Amino acid sequence: MPDDETRTLSPKTSRPDPLPLAAPAGPAPWLLRLVMVGLVLAALNLRPAITSLGALLEEVRDGLGMSGSVAGVLTSVPPLCFALFGIMAPRLARRFGAGAVVCAGMVAIAAGLAIRPFIGGTAGFLAASALALMGIAVSNILMPVIVKRWFPDRVGTMTGLYSMALALGTALAAAITVPMTDALGGSWKAGLAIWAVLAAAAVLPWILLVRDRGNAPGQPSAHQQQNAPALRITRSRTGWALASFFGLQATAAYITMGWMPQIFRDAGVSAGTAGVLLAVTMAMGVPLAFVIPRVASRMRNQGPIAVFLGICGLIGYAGLYLAPADGAWVWALLLGIANCAFPLALTMIGMRSRTGAGVVRLSAFAQSTGYLISIPGPLLVGVLYQHSGGWGLPIGLMAALILPQMVAGVLAGRDRTIEDEC
């Protein structure tokens, strides 16, 4: 028997057989850490533009001379911008690269937040808010697909990480905007503008990723795209169910962020405490946004989670109607649990397609369509509040919308993919 060294020699050439080709190296560890830092910083900036305004909505209304109906329009601007600009995100990412798009998004957020309190007038305030929300919109869409691209073996963990950072940024803005405003001399303009600093910090890691083009995030190679069957998401019942679930949970979230502090203030709670209560609601998403994606990714059907979250929302709204001040902390906690339908929706987006290309298309469709669905909710709450003179009818509307949300969540949570239906 020849020894091992003799066996590896070719009988004619007496040269070793070529070694198998090494597997292509993955991204460098430092690059993955940079992407992780960029995701966390970007996620921290995806809601302060909204919840900081909710904490100071009464001061902004007085300062700009807004009626309740106009304030309702203001609270409807975020989902409108998310729907209009979010649909552009996949195309922009294909053309310029995901890093460049997210970097530009963070610049837009910083610029919008810095100028909107000082631009003067309601129209200018809305325009500057729209600039910041445009940056949020494209980043909203690209977060799941960037995770799919850079961390394909850790989708649940990374989705939980940036969802947790998003919830943390939301809660911080709600909790400390009023105290910071007081510390800055009581100017609501300074209290809103200070959040531009956090957005400016988020630009830095993405500057280093601007040149990273590669394939579009979450997309297969050009050859694979040419041979892949076209997906028509509008033919997918699961796609529509997921869009409806996303839209209804977004409706509840933006009503909560825009109006819940005012509900508590009208019940006799101080402005500072009302902001902290909103922060408690948002802070519930910090641990749950990490846990829910991990649990949901291990379940074949995510419908039971959607039902549980909806029940928490119904109890919370009932409490707001019956005893808004006496049980304020309990209702804030329950509504915080209900708002965790957002990370559940993001997780289901990643699970309802078998391919990266499908995730990109489903993310754009579900989020953009969902945000369109959510636009009337905050506006209706403002109109009902102004014309009814109280919160009974608005809270009834909020509770009623939870029921179709639960149904849509059950349908979207079924163990199937859009490829089975398109």
Side-chain angles (χ1 to χ4, degrees):
M1 291 287 295
D3 59 22
D4 289 344
E5 182 178 354
T6 305
R7 273 204 312 270
T8 61
L9 301 178
S10 169
K12 294 183 178 180
T13 64
S14 298
R15 288 183 299 178
D17 291 334
L19 296 173
L21 293 175
W30 71 266
L31 185 57
L32 289 177
R33 287 193 290 270
L34 180 65
V35 174
M36 188 180 302
V37 170
L39 281 171
V40 170
L41 286 176
L44 285 171
N45 283 281
L46 295 183
R47 293 299 179 269
I50 303 165
T51 50
S52 62
L53 177 59
L56 294 173
L57 185 57
E58 185 171 314
E59 287 76 9
V60 174
R61 286 175 56 190
D62 293 341
L64 298 178
M66 290 183 186
S67 67
S69 298
V70 174
V73 172
L74 183 60
T75 57
S76 294
V77 168
L80 175 62
C81 291
F82 294 165
L84 293 179
F85 298 120
I87 197 69
M88 300 160 42
R91 183 175 297 180
L92 290 172
R94 284 194 296 271
R95 182 170 181 179
F96 300 106
V101 175
V102 176
C103 184
M106 294 299 110
V107 171
I109 295 171
L113 292 182
I115 67 175
R116 75 173 177 177
F118 307 105
I119 198 169
T122 301
F125 190 92
L126 288 171
S129 295
L131 175 62
L133 293 167
M134 177 177 66
I136 296 173
V138 294
S139 301
N140 272 335
I141 300 298
L142 292 179
M143 291 294 104
V145 293
I146 288 175
V147 167
K148 187 81 169 181
R149 174 186 172 186
W150 287 96
F151 306 96
D153 56 341
R154 289 181 282 168
V155 170
T157 299
M158 292 306 300
T159 299
L161 180 64
Y162 85 75
S163 297
M164 184 170 63
L166 189 152
L168 179 61
T170 307
L172 283 175
I176 68 176
T177 295
V178 171
M180 283 198 309
T181 300
D182 294 338
L184 293 170
S187 169
W188 62 265
K189 294 182 179 182
L192 291 181
I194 193 67
W195 291 103
V197 176
L198 180 62
V203 174
L204 300 177
W206 291 103
I207 290 177
L208 301 176
L209 295 168
V210 164
R211 292 178 177 271
D212 177 60
R213 296 287 297 272
N215 295 324
Q219 296 282 355
S221 66
H223 176 74
Q224 289 173 317
Q225 291 187 56
Q226 291 174 357
N227 293 282
L231 289 175
R232 297 185 179 180
I233 304 294
T234 54
R235 294 185 177 181
S236 169
R237 287 170 293 182
T238 298
W240 279 108
L242 189 48
S244 299
F245 179 72
F246 194 97
L248 290 166
Q249 68 81 28
T251 301
Y254 289 112
I255 289 174
T256 298
M257 287 186 282
W259 288 109
M260 197 177 82
Q262 192 65 50
I263 294 175
F264 286 127
R265 291 178 72 168
D266 287 351
V269 177
S270 68
T273 302
V276 173
L277 286 166
L278 177 60
V280 169
T281 298
M282 299 299 108
M284 289 302 298
V286 176
L288 292 179
F290 188 73
V291 172
I292 286 177
R294 295 170 65 88
V295 173
S297 64
R298 291 176 170 84
M299 298 175 64
R300 293 178 61 87
N301 188 323
Q302 293 76 42
I305 301 178
V307 172
F308 170 75
L309 298 177
I311 291 173
C312 290
L314 288 174
I315 298 172
Y317 287 134
L320 281 182
Y321 179 80
L322 296 173
D326 293 338
W329 297 101
V330 177
W331 318 140
L333 288 170
L334 287 170
L335 291 174
I337 296 172
N339 277 349
C340 288
F342 176 71
L344 175 63
L346 292 180
T347 306
M348 290 195 292
I349 287 174
M351 297 180 68
R352 295 288 88 89
S353 176
R354 290 194 293 265
T355 66
V359 171
V360 174
R361 295 180 182 180
L362 181 57
S363 178
F365 174 75
Q367 294 199 49
S368 296
T369 305
Y371 285 126
L372 280 175
I373 292 171
S374 71
I375 290 170
L379 176 60
L380 284 175
V381 167
V383 172
L384 289 174
Y385 172 57
Q386 180 171 349
H387 290 283
S388 68
W391 286 106
L393 285 177
I395 291 173
L397 173 65
M398 300 176 206
L401 292 175
I402 289 287
L403 300 177
Q405 176 184 319
M406 294 165 67
V407 174
V410 170
L411 295 175
R414 294 176 298 176
D415 185 21
R416 59 187 63 186
T417 63
I418 56 173
E419 287 83 3
D420 300 328
E421 301 173 340
C422 297

